[in-house]
Amino acid sequence: MNAPGIASKQQPDDTILFVRGMYCGSCAAAVESLLKRQPGVLDATVNFAAGTALLRWDTTQTGVATLAQVVRRLGYRLQDAPPNANSQGVDLARKKLQWRLAAAVVFGMWCMMPALLVYLAPLGLVEPEATWPLALASGVFALPVLTYSGAHFYRAGWRTLRMGVPGLDTLITFAVVAATLLSAWRLSQGESHVYFDAAVMLITFQLIARLLDTNVRRRATDIIHRYLGQNNSTPVTLDDGSFRQIPADQVTPGMRIRPEAGQPFSLDGCITSGEALVDFALITGESQPVPVRPGDRVYAGCVLIEGCPQIRVTAGVGQRRIDGITRAIHQLLCRKTSLQRLTDRIARVLLPTVVVAALASVVLAWFQGAAPGESLARGLAVLIISCPCALSLAIPLVIMMGYARLATRGILLQDPAAFELAADIEVVVFDKTGTLTTDRPAIAACHPQPGWTPQALLQLAINTLQGSSHPTARGLALEGAPSLPEDMGTRTAIPGQGTLWRLAEHRVLAGRSRWLEQQGVSLPELADTGMSLHLAFDGQYAGRIDFQERLNPEAAGLIEQLKARGIAIYMLSGDTRNASLALAKRLNIPPARVISEASPEQKLRFVENLQNHYPTAFIGDGLNDGLALASARIGIAINTAPEAAQSAAAVQLTGGLDTVASTLDFARQARRLMRQNLVWAIAYNGLALPLAVAGWVQPVIAAVAMSLSSLCVLGNSLRIHHGDQTPINTPEPGQTRPESRIPQPELAQDHHRRAPSGKRRLNQIECYKAGEQ
């Protein structure tokens, strides 16, 4: 088994592999720890949500096959599997958890019934001689829960303990085993005070927490793998005389293909013959289609608007520009957030603390003269009451409830960390084309020649370009319907030039001014805006229609809302400088905060540099925005974005832009609740532990208290449906707005001197220059 693209490198770039068989974050921690210990492995990050391992190693010392064999001994599988394989594994894990939970609930109820009667025996409700059989019955009913429902906790707990990274599963294993052994010992001594019910409750509540977490993470896994599988097997037509179709992943560099108009390219290549009009918006963000000729390069994801060119393939599947962008996006998506890292650290510290406390309670009870059974019961109470059910539920509950609430508003949460990340945004960077604008230009002005009216000129343009996929034709379609059938006459589209419509003895030209002049049409000296359609009828110039980009009707309102919250606005586009500045002027965005003609890689570096100093959100809609969407603190994809771009974003808007501000406001409330839950979970353990050590809490009371702590976290999480919606970053009276602290280019030197903590604050020009390097 070989990892792609690493054979010739001693210290390769990060390589993405898939890990199958993981049930929880503890599993990921164990695999990560094991991989880091292997000879030649320079770095390893295992992400449970993505089901992947991000690896960097020295190929002279190890390889994928060796690492896969080591991971297999731990009980997991490491492979460069097809993208869909892992999401199927997540579904299988979910089903297993559901069956285990069902068994725990059914048999747990039967286990609790005799245990309850034993507790009520001192009140005279049960004869003393009946308590031991009831205790035995409680243990019998608990067996399916202890052996089947809790099995995966024991496996994960043992694996993580072996790797030296014990977590929640190890602690659960210790508590369940201790409760079972102590209960069995007491039964053998003829005593009826057993703790099978406490072990059953512990397993049941942990299964609920695990299932909630798996439901949240399943969507993240599907999204990531869907992105990795983008455009790999789309059939392409070979131009080798046979014109047969084969999947794109079977085409090798040097082969020649013939794309179809209206379809995206599947491979990178160079045009060898023919001319065409190509939409590069998905890669570069350019708003207008670009004419290409022999010698020009095209990329997978770009759309052929007009023409029939022959293309020599220069990069096959796996080596295309889109594949490089996809790999980079995946690496960005696999990063862990601060709350995830905090929870991991808490879990690792909690286990040794609880074990030491349990042993201390046993020793303390022994010194106080307690019987051996009573001493062990006190230690068991410490293990049970300290089991971090609340810690396990603290984050998933808020995410699940918040997800449901946002979904009703047309906002889809695709990254469980989005609530945490979006709460303190200070800068919002907008893509221009397709985000602040629509894909259909608007008519700015009509300039008819004498003898023509604006209405007649407009109708002539609509009739001539009907059926065309050119953006200008789409814009005209919004202005009115054709007055003649599309099949009347014949239309010939000349890529990058215009359209010739022959109707009986009449001849209509619609296109660029230079092309009309080449056809013998005399044009007056009129200013050309660059987005103009010139028309001629029977060789006589009829007039010009000027277009401008159609502003997204929600863009201006959103920008004003964000500015009112003190958020700085940037525009980052692959379009020309003039087009970007013209739109920025209409939206009151300062020219100093407009970046134009930026490639996807430059967008990534700009956002990363800006984010080094300010929490940044990026809002975009195209594949060329994918890197920026994934690298920003929070990426937001609008509803018109292709599936690949939506996969890179933390948030997807199925509605309009007007929901962005409320999404950021909602994130502030959600993060506050998550922090409160974490504080409560930690405080609960801090208070409960001394009480259990002192012997003031019995094991069954410990199980109840553990359950109550989870209910408290649940109750606090429910406040997300009723909490306030205080706008984020709203400054207090007399407080400086964050927007005013974002440096303009001309203020760069002052900010370099005054930057806090010795950090150099980058301005817009510096970020852009960094992107060019």
Side-chain angles (χ1 to χ4, degrees), residues 484-554:
L484 296 174
E486 184 179 348
D487 57 1
M488 286 192 64
T490 59
R491 293 175 178 82
T492 304
I494 293 82
Q497 303 297 331
T499 297
L500 167 61
W501 180 30
R502 290 187 174 89
L503 180 63
E505 69 278 7
H506 301 293
R507 186 169 177 265
V508 182
L509 300 174
R512 296 175 180 267
S513 58
R514 183 176 301 177
W515 180 64
L516 264 67
E517 290 176 340
Q518 292 172 354
Q519 301 300 312
V521 179
S522 177
L523 273 68
E525 293 186 5
L526 295 172
D528 199 328
T529 65
M531 291 185 68
S532 299
L533 177 70
H534 297 265
L535 294 111
F537 186 82
D538 288 342
Q540 299 296 315
Y541 187 62
R544 182 183 91 231
I545 301 176
D546 293 336
F547 291 84
Q548 64 180 3
E549 289 188 282
R550 188 182 297 271
L551 194 64
N552 188 318
E554 299 163 346

Side-chain angles (χ1 to χ4, degrees), residues 54-263:
L54 206 59
L55 293 172
R56 182 188 296 261
W57 69 82
D58 185 340
T59 55
T60 63
Q61 298 185 46
T62 190
V64 178
T66 303
L67 296 176
Q69 185 176 3
V70 172
V71 172
R72 192 179 299 114
R73 287 199 294 267
L74 190 60
Y76 307 101
R77 283 174 287 172
L78 182 71
Q79 59 190 45
D80 45 359
N84 289 333
N86 236 50
S87 60
Q88 293 169 1
V90 173
D91 285 335
L92 180 61
R94 239 175 112 255
K95 290 179 180 178
K96 288 182 178 180
L97 282 175
Q98 290 170 344
W99 279 108
R100 293 180 193 276
L101 179 59
V105 170
V106 172
F107 288 98
M109 288 190 299
W110 285 102
C111 170
M112 294 297 295
M113 291 172 64
L116 181 61
L117 292 175
V118 172
Y119 297 143
L120 295 176
L123 301 178
L125 299 178
V126 178
E127 295 297 326
E129 59 270 16
T131 56
W132 190 90
L134 287 172
L136 178 62
S138 178
V140 171
F141 287 124
L143 280 176
V145 183
L146 299 176
T147 56
Y148 171 68
S149 298
H152 86 279
F153 291 120
Y154 314 146
R155 286 196 297 269
W158 171 242
R159 291 167 181 171
T160 53
L161 186 62
R162 282 173 53 198
M163 291 300 104
V165 285
L168 305 182
D169 295 302
T170 308
L171 186 55
I172 294 168
T173 302
F174 280 3
V176 171
V177 170
T180 304
L181 292 179
L182 180 57
S183 299
W185 178 75
R186 286 202 159 185
L187 282 175
S188 68
Q189 299 298 309
E191 299 182 25
S192 58
H193 292 290
V194 293
Y195 310 105
F196 295 114
D197 53 333
V200 167
M201 289 178 66
L202 180 59
I203 291 173
T204 303
F205 275 94
Q206 281 298 316
L207 283 172
I208 293 172
R210 193 62 47 82
L211 191 58
L212 283 171
D213 192 58
T214 303
N215 285 339
V216 172
R217 296 176 189 273
R218 175 175 175 248
R219 180 171 176 80
T221 304
D222 289 341
I223 289 166
I224 291 172
H225 294 160
R226 192 184 310 129
Y227 205 105
L228 286 175
Q230 179 75 13
N231 262 349
N232 286 344
S233 57
T234 304
V236 298
T237 302
L238 292 183
D239 192 0
D240 58 357
S242 63
F243 290 99
R244 68 185 189 279
Q245 287 193 338
I246 64 173
D249 52 11
Q250 296 181 17
V251 177
T252 58
M255 298 176 72
R256 284 173 166 74
I257 60 175
R258 182 77 67 172
E260 297 181 10
Q263 299 297 319

Side-chain angles (χ1 to χ4, degrees), residues 343-379:
T343 303
D344 290 343
R345 288 196 299 270
I346 293 173
R348 291 175 188 177
V349 172
L350 191 60
L351 177 66
T353 302
V354 170
V355 172
V356 170
L359 294 175
S361 67
V362 173
V363 173
L364 179 62
W366 183 72
F367 273 115
Q368 291 175 344
E374 182 64 28
S375 299
L376 293 174
R378 190 180 295 186

Side-chain angles (χ1 to χ4, degrees), residues 600-623:
E601 294 80 7
Q602 288 174 327
K603 288 185 176 183
L604 165 66
R605 287 189 283 269
F606 175 82
V607 171
E608 285 184 333
N609 281 315
L610 188 61
Q611 189 163 265
N612 284 338
H613 308 281
Y614 306 98
T616 301
F618 182 85
I619 305 177
D621 77 308
L623 181 63

